[in-house]
Amino acid sequence: MEAGQADRTELAKEQFAGLFGKKPSVTVQVPGRVNLIGDHTDYNDGFALPMAINRYISVAGAPSSGGGVRVVSETVSGDAILNVDTPMKHPSGWERYAAGLLHLARAAFGELPDFKAVVTSSIPKGAGLSSSAAFAVALVGMAEHLTGISLDPISKARLCQKAEHIYAGVPCGIMDQLAIINGCRDHAILLDCRNCKSVHVPIPTDEVSLLVIDSGVERALSDGVYAVRRKICEQAADCLGVGALRDLSLETLNSQSDRLDDEQNRRARHVVTENERVQAFAALARESDWINAGILMRESHVSLRDDFEVSVPELDLLADEAEAIGTSGGVYGCRMTGGGLGGCVIALVKPGAEKRISAKLANRFDYAFGRLPTVHHVRGIE
Ligand code: ADP
Ligand code: MG
């Protein structure tokens, strides 16, 4: 049973009171996100369609006189005094990321008081639901409350993104942070990652349900594959004389394919076709055409698997079994979601069919891999 937003925040408050013997003065709740379609497009200045979901990181905190910044997180079994002056003194890990984020926040705000905080989370860590961005946005939110200074949404997203680059070692795009900051109930956001503009796209709960199925394969995006993919995309754009792969149509790419090697061609083809799929999906969602939207999800999975090569057998099995169930069995579409190399698939299913589909997919997964995946029936934020 997932704890809801209120429960999770209550837990953070209780833990704070238990640890520090007083009530917290500030609480912040920040959702995770799932990407419906559009992966590895954000750092190519392209399009994505993420949705903030009802899984949250909560932070309860209060300023303290002296003692530095102390953060306690049950999720990582962590309790640390953060070295905000010199974040790199922390060996890698969440402490460096949190310290680095607050280092950047202090530079942006010009001040940051000492404080204590407790973090609780219902966003599984490392599963592709962006606990990393939610954690950062939540800590910046805490810093905003404590200083009384607010950042505009895009500056806040950029600050969090920068922290993830420098201090977590993940050269991520800006999709996650913006999806979390701009999320709204029952809507995904169609995000243009070039100018950070977004428009809301309705995902009505009475028409479609979202199942996020965690393969349990832990991704390690900082281990280099993500950075290599990103570099190849940039090289391909350079070779073709465009600012980013976003600037290419499939026709132009195909007509100039001899200027790229095979790997660059395949990576670029994924990005270019994925951008087209994202925009087409948003248009179909507006017409409640979930059948055709689901077909685009399948195409996206195949493209990420074959052209971008960031799937793994566990994700392929879930996507293939969902495809086999098909619309007659209640599945509109299914694809890996997030950076890949582990993590989750997302399935768009008919309301009422969630349990049956979850059980079937879990059963097939168990048969193939000898263990059960974790199924989350998620909704938009409350
Ligand atoms: P995800 O797909 O969940 O974003 P990442 O590997 O990108 O996975 O990010 C996970 C990292 O985010 C953790 O290693 C840690 O640094 C940070 N993080 C996420 N949630 C928490 C939390 N509740 N407490 C402390 N750190 C967290
Ligand atoms: Mg992340």
Side-chain angles (χ1 to χ4, degrees):
M1 184 74 180
E2 295 282 352
Q5 173 183 8
D7 302 343
R8 193 59 57 175
T9 302
E10 279 312 310
L11 188 65
K13 284 159 97 174
E14 276 166 28
Q15 288 188 358
F16 185 96
L19 272 171
F20 303 121
K22 62 172 185 175
K23 284 187 178 172
S25 57
V26 180
T27 55
V28 181
Q29 297 132 25
V30 169
R33 69 97 188 91
V34 67
N35 194 22
L36 299 182
I37 192 161
D39 276 306
H40 291 280
T41 46
D42 60 351
Y43 55 81
N44 290 297
D45 275 3
F47 296 91
L49 193 73
M51 178 166 173
I53 54 168
N54 62 342
R55 297 289 182 278
Y56 300 88
I57 282 189
S58 297
V59 186
S64 55
S65 48
V69 174
R70 181 171 167 197
V71 177
V72 178
S73 169
E74 55 154 20
T75 320
V76 291
S77 310
D79 180 348
I81 308 278
L82 300 179
N83 195 330
V84 179
D85 288 334
T86 324
M88 289 302 190
K89 282 205 172 152
H90 291 287
S92 60
W94 74 275
E95 298 95 331
R96 180 194 283 185
Y97 179 36
L101 181 92
L102 294 171
H103 180 81
L104 296 176
R106 188 176 62 186
F109 297 159
E111 56 173 308
L112 183 71
D114 287 345
F115 70 94
K116 293 184 170 72
V118 169
V119 181
T120 61
S121 175
S122 60
I123 310 174
K125 189 171 65 72
L129 298 181
S130 212
S131 71
S132 58
F135 179 61
V137 174
L139 281 184
V140 174
M142 175 64 44
E144 286 181 316
H145 278 286
L146 292 171
T147 57
I149 302 168
S150 293
L151 291 174
D152 67 87
I154 293 178
S155 306
K156 195 196 280 200
R158 290 215 167 104
L159 190 151
C160 294
Q161 181 196 22
K162 193 169 168 190
E164 196 149 347
H165 284 195
I166 303 175
Y167 300 106
V170 180
C172 58
I174 201 162
M175 163 175 64
D176 297 355
Q177 294 80 4
L178 283 172
I180 285 166
I181 293 168
N182 292 338
C184 99
R185 196 190 158 119
D186 275 352
H187 286 75
I189 61 169
L190 173 59
L191 189 62
D192 181 338
C193 298
R194 172 159 277 167
N195 57 20
C196 295
K197 291 212 166 119
S198 60
V199 289
H200 287 106
V201 176
I203 308 289
T205 38
D206 57 338
E207 293 181 16
V208 279
S209 284
L210 302 175
L211 294 178
V212 176
I213 304 155
D214 188 348
S215 67
V217 179
E218 192 144 339
R219 300 161 316 126
L221 289 183
S222 52
D223 74 355
V225 175
Y226 187 97
V228 172
R229 291 289 183 281
R230 185 172 178 151
K231 198 155 167 245
I232 299 277
C233 289
E234 285 162 4
Q235 282 171 356
D238 271 356
C239 286
L240 299 181
V242 290
L245 292 180
R246 141 73 175 274
D247 297 309
L248 291 175
S249 66
L250 187 57
E251 205 181 3
T252 315
L253 177 64
N254 286 340
S255 70
Q256 303 191 28
S257 60
D258 53 340
R259 293 170 66 188
L260 303 179
D261 65 25
D262 176 58
E263 182 179 4
Q264 289 167 334
N265 259 311
R266 285 184 297 119
R267 307 300 186 235
R269 186 166 59 212
H270 164 70
V271 175
V272 170
T273 56
E274 187 82 343
N275 278 332
E276 288 176 358
R277 283 186 288 270
V278 171
Q279 292 170 90
F281 186 109
L284 292 165
R286 290 199 177 97
E287 292 164 14
S288 296
D289 184 349
W290 305 113
I291 292 183
N292 282 309
I295 292 171
L296 293 174
M297 291 174 82
R298 175 68 191 170
E299 288 174 10
S300 169
H301 183 81
V302 169
S303 178
L304 286 158
R305 183 190 68 194
D306 298 346
D307 277 347
F308 219 69
E309 292 182 285
V310 286
S311 191
V312 291
E314 289 84 350
L315 297 175
D316 291 339
L317 178 118
L318 288 166
D320 291 349
E321 291 293 343
E323 168 82 357
I325 295 171
T327 20
S328 60
V331 177
Y332 289 117
C334 180
R335 61 184 284 279
M336 54 156 278
T337 181
L341 301 168
C344 302
V345 297
I346 177 166
L348 197 67
V349 309
K350 291 183 183 163
E354 301 91 350
K355 278 201 179 130
R356 184 171 42 77
I357 292 165
S358 304
K360 198 162 190 177
L361 292 177
N363 188 282
R364 295 287 159 83
F365 189 93
D366 188 16
Y367 186 72
F369 299 107
R371 60 188 173 82
L372 289 170
T374 311
V375 183
H376 307 275
H377 175 196
V378 302
R379 298 171 198 276
I381 49 179
E382 289 135 14

